[in-house]
Amino acid sequence: MSVPGTLDPPRSAPDVGGPPPEPAPPLRPRRLTWRRALRRDWQLYSLAVLPLLFFAVFRYLPMIGNVIAFRKFSPGGNPLGEYWVGLRYVEMFLNDPTFWNVFTNTLVLGVLSLVVCFPLPIVLALLFNELTSRRLKRFVQSVSYLPHFLSVVIVAAMVMQLLSVDGTVNQVVRAFGGDPVPFLQQPEWFRTIYVSSEAWQTVGWGTILYLAALTTIDSDLYEAARIDGASRWRQTWHVTLPGIRPTMITLLILNIGTFMAVGFEKILLLYNPLTYPTGDVISTYLFRMGVLSNSFSYAAAIGLFEAVIGLTLVLTANLIARRAVGTSLW
């Protein structure tokens, strides 16, 4: 019992013994299964039904028909071929000099299209980005986009009209005292005509993705570069191009994937037997062998060979891009 006017001694906490209790672990969120996600967001998933159905019917289901590359197929018979022939058709096109001629033409046209048509949209997008007048920028963009909306048939017809013996180009040649040139009948002109028309039709539309990528670059980076005394060219080289590099790498890999699939429709409309030495590619050769000559198994073997090369190019380009610049599709 304490005496009034004195201070009680401090009481110590009772010693219960043992370590202090551990805090309770945080509650983990419940794992969202695919059934719960489908039940919760079925409206969003329903939007993907038609695209998935399209790819399943027109892209993946026809892959089953590749089996006729190794089986004897006759029109009106078994859709998957009559009997097994192994690598007979593969050996046929590997020993066919005509195939190697069209294979070389495909490589040359693919390389020319990639070298010319891939960097031009980047250059054009950078030029658009430098325009200060919004009205002029919209006008030039609209003009560059228009060729994309023209069908391949119309573009081919325009090219044939311009380059015919009595066309606009030869009229200009005559005006300068030259002789008319049959451009569409000379094999040495076919590659130039195809790549030029392809660039005219696709370059403007190809700038859309690059212009969208340019809007994501932080303006503070340009301000810092100007403070450091960087010129306009230095800002483009050190700020703009690195900012759109992921988009450039992605589109480059996609273009390499379609490297072997050179434009079938336009070449089919522009070429003729006189330009076969430089204009005949794998896709047009497949059309003649499969549809016109009814050699479906032979055409399927060549198409499968082309697809394997395309897949190899995509995987290789993706691997090189991931190791070289750290950007890839997967």
Side-chain angles (χ1 to χ4, degrees):
M1 186 174 183
S2 62
V3 180
T6 62
L7 296 175
D8 294 336
R11 297 180 180 180
S12 59
D15 187 10
V16 296
E22 296 181 357
L27 297 177
R28 295 183 179 180
R30 297 182 61 183
R31 185 178 180 182
L32 187 63
T33 62
W34 68 271
R35 291 184 180 180
R36 291 177 179 272
L38 184 61
R39 190 180 302 113
R40 188 186 66 179
D41 301 322
W42 66 271
Q43 296 93 338
L44 296 178
Y45 286 105
S46 64
L47 298 176
V49 172
L50 288 180
L52 291 177
L53 188 62
F54 171 82
F55 281 101
V57 174
F58 295 102
R59 292 292 186 270
Y60 294 103
L61 191 60
M63 288 184 182
I64 302 175
N66 285 326
V67 71
I68 67 173
F70 311 101
R71 297 175 64 89
K72 174 65 177 178
F73 174 81
S74 299
N78 189 346
L80 299 181
E82 303 296 337
Y83 54 88
W84 186 264
V85 295
L87 299 178
R88 173 187 174 187
Y89 297 109
V90 177
E91 295 175 355
M92 285 178 59
F93 74 74
L94 290 178
N95 296 323
D96 186 1
T98 304
F99 167 77
W100 291 110
N101 181 42
V102 299
F103 183 77
T104 303
N105 292 337
T106 305
L107 289 179
V108 173
L109 284 177
V111 170
L112 291 176
S113 299
L114 187 65
V115 170
V116 174
C117 298
F118 176 73
L120 283 182
I122 302 175
V123 176
L124 191 58
L126 295 177
L127 294 177
F128 285 160
N129 193 47
E130 296 296 325
L131 292 177
T132 56
S133 174
R134 295 175 62 109
R135 183 173 299 178
L136 178 61
K137 183 177 180 179
R138 290 178 179 177
F139 173 75
V140 177
Q141 282 180 309
S142 300
V143 172
S144 64
Y145 294 166
L146 284 178
H148 173 78
F149 298 99
L150 299 177
S151 68
V152 180
V153 177
I154 295 177
V155 173
M158 293 174 61
V159 171
M160 295 174 68
Q161 289 294 329
L162 289 172
L163 299 178
S164 63
V165 178
D166 297 327
T168 305
V169 175
N170 277 313
Q171 290 180 8
V172 174
V173 172
R174 288 194 185 96
F176 284 93
D179 296 327
V181 180
F183 294 100
L184 297 175
Q185 283 76 38
Q186 295 186 355
E188 60 270 17
W189 279 102
F190 183 85
R191 292 168 180 169
T192 303
I193 294 171
Y194 172 79
V195 175
S196 301
S197 63
E198 191 72 11
W200 175 75
Q201 187 178 10
T202 60
V203 165
W205 185 256
T207 61
I208 291 180
L209 292 178
Y210 294 110
L211 289 174
L214 288 171
T215 60
T216 63
I217 301 176
D218 191 356
S219 59
D220 293 339
L221 297 176
Y222 290 105
E223 184 65 26
R226 283 192 293 267
I227 293 174
D228 291 339
S231 62
R232 201 62 196 164
W233 168 251
R234 288 291 181 182
Q235 294 177 36
T236 301
W237 184 260
H238 294 288
V239 178
T240 306
L241 290 180
I244 63 175
R245 185 173 61 183
T247 303
M248 294 167 54
I249 297 299
T250 302
L251 293 179
L252 177 61
I253 295 174
L254 293 176
N255 287 340
I256 292 177
T258 58
F259 183 81
M260 300 295 293
V262 184
F264 164 71
E265 296 88 355
K266 185 179 293 184
I267 293 178
L268 187 66
L269 293 169
L270 290 177
Y271 85 152
N272 55 70
L274 295 176
T275 57
Y276 279 178
T278 58
D280 197 14
V281 294
I282 291 180
S283 56
T284 55
Y285 183 67
L286 287 179
F287 174 75
R288 294 203 312 275
M289 292 293 103
V291 177
L292 301 183
S293 300
N294 291 329
S295 301
F296 294 100
S297 296
Y298 182 68
I302 299 176
L304 188 60
F305 175 75
E306 179 186 7
V308 170
I309 293 179
L311 179 61
T312 304
L313 290 174
V314 170
L315 295 177
T316 305
N318 188 78
L319 179 62
I320 294 175
R322 184 171 65 248
R323 293 187 176 181
V325 298
T327 303
S328 60
L329 286 177
W330 64 86

